[in-house]
């Protein structure tokens, strides 16, 4: 377990990118929902909606969450060693 591989597998990186994109989008939707509720409750005019095509502020927030999630998941994959199957030598120890 002490020997870490220097490069993770391509499938682990691809999974991190896909999962990061999904989680980033879900986080954006949650934040946009809470900002919308806050706008309605307080009567403020914060320009965040889920319509990223018409609102540059929403598009920037979406990109920040997407990139942050993808970078976070890729970093976690990079620093975590792959799981090894238990062999007879490991079971005996």
């Amino acid at each position: 377990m002490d020997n870490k591989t220097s490069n993770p597998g391509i499938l682990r990186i691809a999974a991190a990118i896909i999962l990061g994109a999904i989680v980033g989008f879900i986080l954006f939707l949650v934040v946009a929902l809470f900002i919308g509720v806050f706008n309605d409750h307080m009567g403020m005019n914060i320009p965040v909606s889920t319509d990223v095509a018409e609102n540059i502020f929403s598009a920037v927030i979406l990109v920040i969450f997407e990139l942050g999630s993808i970078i976070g998941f890729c970093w976690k994959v990079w620093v975590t060693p792959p799981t090894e199957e238990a062999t007879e030598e490991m079971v005996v120890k």
Side-chain angles (χ1 to χ4, degrees):
M1 191 78 171
D2 291 336
N3 54 354
K4 290 174 61 174
T5 59
S6 60
N7 296 329
I10 190 73
L11 289 177
R12 291 180 71 205
I13 295 290
I17 291 171
I18 292 169
L19 188 60
I22 292 170
V23 169
F25 187 72
I26 291 172
L27 285 174
F28 166 73
L29 290 177
V30 169
V31 168
L33 175 74
F34 282 123
I35 289 175
V37 168
F38 185 73
N39 277 341
D40 288 342
H41 183 64
M42 299 299 263
M44 300 180 81
N45 193 15
I46 301 172
V48 175
S49 67
T50 56
D51 190 10
V52 295
E54 293 182 4
N55 191 349
I56 191 69
F57 188 66
S58 295
V60 169
I61 290 176
L62 176 63
V63 168
I64 289 171
F65 277 115
E66 288 285 332
L67 288 178
S69 296
I70 290 172
I71 290 170
F73 277 103
C74 286
W75 173 78
K76 192 63 179 169
V77 164
W78 199 265
V79 298
T80 306
T83 306
E84 297 177 4
E85 293 183 19
T87 60
E88 290 183 24
E89 296 173 1
M90 289 183 180
V91 174
V92 172
K93 292 182 182 181

